[in-house]
Amino acid sequence: MTTLRHIFDVNAARIVPTRESRKNVRFSALSPAERENLLSSYHPDYKAGAYREIRAGANKGGRTVSELADLLESDSPLDPGMSLVPDHTTDLLVIGGGGAGCTAALIAHRLGIRAMIATKLRLGDSNTVMAEGGVQAAVGEDDSPVEHFKDAVRGGHHKNDRNLLRVLVEDGPEAMLWLCEQGVLFDREPDGRLRVKPGG
Ligand SMILES: Cc1cc2nc3c(=O)[nH]c(=O)nc-3n(C[C@H](O)[C@H](O)[C@H](O)COP(=O)(O)OP(=O)(O)OC[C@H]3O[C@@H](n4cnc5c(N)ncnc54)[C@H](O)[C@@H]3O)c2cc1C
């Protein structure tokens, strides 16, 4: 029977002896023809004609996936004779009804701004309702925005935009409070406190 241990041993026997020599191998860039040949020979999802040249428009001569090229070359689905009198008017048009869009519209509304959301599908049909892993915000008793900042800088290998990160860690607890006040249902401990776990 092939066990995981067996697979690891076989792989180690193949990989370890050649590791040093492979570290110094430098591969040159493939030409488009070599790339096409490699993909068509070995890629399991290779589809001939997946890319083609765009024949018209600002990107004429460029190559892209055939579906996008078809779309770029097609006539507009809008009726050229359509009325340009707007059906609705608003002070603020928010495109998208996920967490960001709904928050923007709610805050605008409370500031007395007439806001309207235009969204694909139904309101709330978004990535936001699928998020279930957790929210990175320093709301734990032994946590703080400073600790959050330090953790995120380490996790980001010191490449983070520190000004943006500062906004995230400083606004995080207040944003959580605001979401709770709006009635967002977060996991809670039996005593009602928010359930907190270390972020990864
Ligand atoms: C399965 C899953 C799990 C996740 N888990 C986590 C997690 O644990 N923690 C975390 O922090 N993040 C998580 N994320 C990421 C997080 O959900 C997103 O980063 C966040 O919800 C983005 O919010 P948003 O409002 O910007 O976008 P969305 O929530 O995606 O909202 C975008 C809105 O725009 C609409 N829209 C799109 N195109 C158009 C268009 N052409 N015209 C009009 N409307 C349009 C959509 O219908 C939608 O309503 C997860 C994402 C997924 C998919």
Side-chain angles (χ1 to χ4, degrees):
M1 190 179 74
T2 305
T3 61
L4 264 185
R5 177 79 257 157
H6 175 75
I7 293 169
F8 288 144
D9 288 348
V10 170
N11 282 342
R14 280 189 199 142
I15 293 165
V16 175
T18 59
R19 176 167 287 143
E20 281 310 309
S21 60
R22 281 184 292 110
K23 273 186 190 168
N24 299 319
V25 177
R26 293 282 173 274
F27 296 98
S28 54
L30 295 176
S31 69
E34 286 170 327
R35 186 169 166 273
E36 189 68 15
N37 186 29
L38 191 71
L39 287 173
S40 62
S41 307
Y42 297 107
H43 198 293
D45 299 326
Y46 178 82
K47 209 166 91 185
Y51 285 76
R52 74 166 175 82
E53 192 169 306
I54 304 169
R55 292 171 297 198
N59 294 308
K60 183 176 175 183
R63 279 177 74 76
T64 187
V65 284
S66 302
E67 291 85 349
L68 180 57
D70 291 345
L71 194 67
L72 291 172
E73 292 168 0
S74 62
D75 290 330
S76 166
L78 296 179
D79 173 5
M82 71 187 260
S83 163
L84 294 178
V85 179
D87 291 328
H88 305 280
T89 55
T90 182
D91 296 329
L92 176 72
L93 177 63
V94 179
I95 314 281
C102 289
T103 301
L106 276 173
I107 290 178
H109 175 73
R110 285 170 198 175
L111 291 173
I113 298 167
R114 278 192 324 138
M116 182 183 286
I117 297 179
T119 191
K120 212 167 61 169
L121 309 173
R122 295 157 299 176
L123 182 66
D125 207 330
S126 60
N127 287 316
T128 302
V129 296
M130 289 190 270
E132 56 178 348
V135 180
Q136 306 274 346
V139 295
E141 280 158 19
D142 54 352
D143 205 353
S144 70
V146 171
E147 288 305 315
H148 187 180
F149 188 91
K150 287 185 334 201
D151 279 352
V153 166
R154 270 198 302 274
H157 298 277
H158 298 263
K159 292 200 166 62
N160 322 54
D161 178 329
R162 295 186 180 206
N163 290 327
L164 270 183
L165 180 57
R166 180 176 176 175
V167 173
L168 174 85
V169 301
E170 288 186 350
D171 288 1
E174 202 183 327
M176 287 301 294
L177 180 64
W178 186 82
L179 289 168
C180 291
E181 285 168 358
Q182 308 316 304
V184 176
L185 297 172
F186 291 110
D187 288 349
R188 290 181 183 269
E189 301 297 347
D191 63 8
R193 285 175 305 142
L194 288 171
R195 180 167 300 163
V196 177
K197 60 183 183 179

mmCIF file of all heavy atoms in Angstrom, residues 152-171:
data_model
loop_
_atom_site.group_PDB
_atom_site.id
_atom_site.type_symbol
_atom_site.label_atom_id
_atom_site.label_comp_id
_atom_site.label_asym_id
_atom_site.label_seq_id
_atom_site.Cartn_x
_atom_site.Cartn_y
_atom_site.Cartn_z
ATOM 1 N N ALA A 152 0.295 43.229 11.876
ATOM 2 C CA ALA A 152 0.050 43.332 10.432
ATOM 3 C C ALA A 152 1.335 43.694 9.677
ATOM 4 O O ALA A 152 1.553 43.223 8.558
ATOM 5 C CB ALA A 152 -1.041 44.367 10.155
ATOM 6 N N VAL A 153 2.189 44.494 10.312
ATOM 7 C CA VAL A 153 3.468 44.835 9.660
ATOM 8 C C VAL A 153 4.321 43.570 9.536
ATOM 9 O O VAL A 153 4.904 43.296 8.484
ATOM 10 C CB VAL A 153 4.222 45.934 10.453
ATOM 11 C CG1 VAL A 153 5.663 46.051 9.985
ATOM 12 C CG2 VAL A 153 3.518 47.267 10.263
ATOM 13 N N ARG A 154 4.332 42.760 10.608
ATOM 14 C CA ARG A 154 5.102 41.498 10.545
ATOM 15 C C ARG A 154 4.499 40.584 9.493
ATOM 16 O O ARG A 154 5.204 40.047 8.647
ATOM 17 C CB ARG A 154 5.084 40.797 11.907
ATOM 18 C CG ARG A 154 6.221 41.188 12.815
ATOM 19 C CD ARG A 154 6.401 40.173 13.939
ATOM 20 N NE ARG A 154 5.187 40.013 14.754
ATOM 21 C CZ ARG A 154 4.895 40.791 15.793
ATOM 22 N NH1 ARG A 154 5.714 41.756 16.153
ATOM 23 N NH2 ARG A 154 3.793 40.596 16.486
ATOM 24 N N GLY A 155 3.155 40.418 9.531
ATOM 25 C CA GLY A 155 2.474 39.531 8.564
ATOM 26 C C GLY A 155 2.658 40.004 7.134
ATOM 27 O O GLY A 155 2.690 39.212 6.207
ATOM 28 N N GLY A 156 2.806 41.325 6.955
ATOM 29 C CA GLY A 156 2.971 41.887 5.602
ATOM 30 C C GLY A 156 4.426 41.997 5.194
ATOM 31 O O GLY A 156 4.731 42.674 4.212
ATOM 32 N N HIS A 157 5.322 41.355 5.975
ATOM 33 C CA HIS A 157 6.766 41.377 5.682
ATOM 34 C C HIS A 157 7.259 42.808 5.481
ATOM 35 O O HIS A 157 8.041 43.094 4.578
ATOM 36 C CB HIS A 157 7.084 40.503 4.460
ATOM 37 C CG HIS A 157 6.733 39.063 4.677
ATOM 38 N ND1 HIS A 157 7.558 38.185 5.326
ATOM 39 C CD2 HIS A 157 5.612 38.371 4.365
ATOM 40 C CE1 HIS A 157 6.977 37.007 5.407
ATOM 41 N NE2 HIS A 157 5.786 37.088 4.835
ATOM 42 N N HIS A 158 6.712 43.735 6.276
ATOM 43 C CA HIS A 158 7.152 45.137 6.273
ATOM 44 C C HIS A 158 6.913 45.838 4.943
ATOM 45 O O HIS A 158 7.521 46.857 4.661
ATOM 46 C CB HIS A 158 8.644 45.244 6.681
ATOM 47 C CG HIS A 158 8.893 44.739 8.058
ATOM 48 N ND1 HIS A 158 8.971 45.559 9.150
ATOM 49 C CD2 HIS A 158 9.039 43.472 8.528
ATOM 50 C CE1 HIS A 158 9.170 44.827 10.236
ATOM 51 N NE2 HIS A 158 9.209 43.556 9.872
ATOM 52 N N LYS A 159 6.033 45.278 4.114
ATOM 53 C CA LYS A 159 5.766 45.914 2.825
ATOM 54 C C LYS A 159 4.469 46.739 2.873
ATOM 55 O O LYS A 159 4.104 47.363 1.883
ATOM 56 C CB LYS A 159 5.651 44.835 1.729
ATOM 57 C CG LYS A 159 6.966 44.124 1.439
ATOM 58 C CD LYS A 159 6.924 43.465 0.072
ATOM 59 C CE LYS A 159 8.282 43.037 -0.408
ATOM 60 N NZ LYS A 159 8.932 42.037 0.429
ATOM 61 N N ASN A 160 3.751 46.712 4.000
ATOM 62 C CA ASN A 160 2.456 47.401 4.096
ATOM 63 C C ASN A 160 2.600 48.895 3.834
ATOM 64 O O ASN A 160 3.636 49.484 4.143
ATOM 65 C CB ASN A 160 1.873 47.257 5.506
ATOM 66 C CG ASN A 160 2.117 45.901 6.112
ATOM 67 O OD1 ASN A 160 3.242 45.445 6.190
ATOM 68 N ND2 ASN A 160 1.072 45.262 6.559
ATOM 69 N N ASP A 161 1.537 49.482 3.312
ATOM 70 C CA ASP A 161 1.442 50.943 3.256
ATOM 71 C C ASP A 161 1.043 51.362 4.663
ATOM 72 O O ASP A 161 -0.085 51.146 5.100
ATOM 73 C CB ASP A 161 0.379 51.351 2.223
ATOM 74 C CG ASP A 161 0.191 52.856 2.161
ATOM 75 O OD1 ASP A 161 0.364 53.525 3.200
ATOM 76 O OD2 ASP A 161 -0.143 53.348 1.079
ATOM 77 N N ARG A 162 1.984 51.957 5.400
ATOM 78 C CA ARG A 162 1.757 52.193 6.840
ATOM 79 C C ARG A 162 0.666 53.224 7.108
ATOM 80 O O ARG A 162 -0.003 53.146 8.137
ATOM 81 C CB ARG A 162 3.069 52.575 7.515
ATOM 82 C CG ARG A 162 4.007 51.381 7.449
ATOM 83 C CD ARG A 162 5.266 51.563 8.183
ATOM 84 N NE ARG A 162 6.018 50.321 8.004
ATOM 85 C CZ ARG A 162 6.916 49.870 8.839
ATOM 86 N NH1 ARG A 162 7.192 50.546 9.913
ATOM 87 N NH2 ARG A 162 7.538 48.741 8.598
ATOM 88 N N ASN A 163 0.499 54.168 6.195
ATOM 89 C CA ASN A 163 -0.568 55.157 6.417
ATOM 90 C C ASN A 163 -1.937 54.484 6.313
ATOM 91 O O ASN A 163 -2.826 54.731 7.122
ATOM 92 C CB ASN A 163 -0.461 56.299 5.404
ATOM 93 C CG ASN A 163 0.752 57.159 5.696
ATOM 94 O OD1 ASN A 163 1.124 57.332 6.857
ATOM 95 N ND2 ASN A 163 1.388 57.659 4.652
ATOM 96 N N LEU A 164 -2.070 53.605 5.302
ATOM 97 C CA LEU A 164 -3.337 52.880 5.146
ATOM 98 C C LEU A 164 -3.566 51.952 6.335
ATOM 99 O O LEU A 164 -4.683 51.847 6.858
ATOM 100 C CB LEU A 164 -3.306 52.022 3.868
ATOM 101 C CG LEU A 164 -3.781 52.654 2.572
ATOM 102 C CD1 LEU A 164 -3.727 51.618 1.461
ATOM 103 C CD2 LEU A 164 -5.210 53.155 2.752
ATOM 104 N N LEU A 165 -2.495 51.265 6.726
ATOM 105 C CA LEU A 165 -2.608 50.313 7.833
ATOM 106 C C LEU A 165 -3.017 51.044 9.120
ATOM 107 O O LEU A 165 -3.837 50.548 9.892
ATOM 108 C CB LEU A 165 -1.273 49.584 8.012
ATOM 109 C CG LEU A 165 -1.214 48.550 9.123
ATOM 110 C CD1 LEU A 165 -2.289 47.491 8.939
ATOM 111 C CD2 LEU A 165 0.171 47.904 9.169
ATOM 112 N N ARG A 166 -2.467 52.236 9.304
ATOM 113 C CA ARG A 166 -2.815 53.015 10.502
ATOM 114 C C ARG A 166 -4.314 53.314 10.526
ATOM 115 O O ARG A 166 -4.971 53.174 11.567
ATOM 116 C CB ARG A 166 -2.002 54.316 10.496
ATOM 117 C CG ARG A 166 -2.308 55.146 11.694
ATOM 118 C CD ARG A 166 -1.472 56.370 11.786
ATOM 119 N NE ARG A 166 -1.936 57.140 12.942
ATOM 120 C CZ ARG A 166 -1.375 58.223 13.371
ATOM 121 N NH1 ARG A 166 -0.317 58.699 12.773
ATOM 122 N NH2 ARG A 166 -1.880 58.851 14.417
ATOM 123 N N VAL A 167 -4.867 53.675 9.372
ATOM 124 C CA VAL A 167 -6.309 53.946 9.311
ATOM 125 C C VAL A 167 -7.080 52.673 9.666
ATOM 126 O O VAL A 167 -8.034 52.696 10.460
ATOM 127 C CB VAL A 167 -6.699 54.436 7.893
ATOM 128 C CG1 VAL A 167 -8.209 54.565 7.765
ATOM 129 C CG2 VAL A 167 -6.023 55.772 7.588
ATOM 130 N N LEU A 168 -6.629 51.546 9.093
ATOM 131 C CA LEU A 168 -7.329 50.269 9.350
ATOM 132 C C LEU A 168 -7.345 49.933 10.839
ATOM 133 O O LEU A 168 -8.406 49.630 11.407
ATOM 134 C CB LEU A 168 -6.642 49.138 8.565
ATOM 135 C CG LEU A 168 -7.173 47.751 8.853
ATOM 136 C CD1 LEU A 168 -8.386 47.453 7.984
ATOM 137 C CD2 LEU A 168 -6.119 46.679 8.643
ATOM 138 N N VAL A 169 -6.170 49.997 11.474
ATOM 139 C CA VAL A 169 -6.125 49.548 12.877
ATOM 140 C C VAL A 169 -6.810 50.549 13.807
ATOM 141 O O VAL A 169 -7.423 50.156 14.803
ATOM 142 C CB VAL A 169 -4.671 49.251 13.347
ATOM 143 C CG1 VAL A 169 -4.027 48.179 12.500
ATOM 144 C CG2 VAL A 169 -3.808 50.496 13.382
ATOM 145 N N GLU A 170 -6.709 51.855 13.475
ATOM 146 C CA GLU A 170 -7.324 52.845 14.368
ATOM 147 C C GLU A 170 -8.842 52.862 14.217
ATOM 148 O O GLU A 170 -9.568 53.059 15.183
ATOM 149 C CB GLU A 170 -6.735 54.230 14.095
ATOM 150 C CG GLU A 170 -5.304 54.344 14.608
ATOM 151 C CD GLU A 170 -4.729 55.755 14.493
ATOM 152 O OE1 GLU A 170 -5.352 56.618 13.838
ATOM 153 O OE2 GLU A 170 -3.650 55.971 15.037
ATOM 154 N N ASP A 171 -9.323 52.674 12.988
ATOM 155 C CA ASP A 171 -10.776 52.725 12.767
ATOM 156 C C ASP A 171 -11.459 51.395 13.066
ATOM 157 O O ASP A 171 -12.692 51.350 13.212
ATOM 158 C CB ASP A 171 -11.078 53.098 11.296
ATOM 159 C CG ASP A 171 -10.770 54.568 11.021
ATOM 160 O OD1 ASP A 171 -10.322 55.259 11.943
ATOM 161 O OD2 ASP A 171 -10.968 55.002 9.863
#
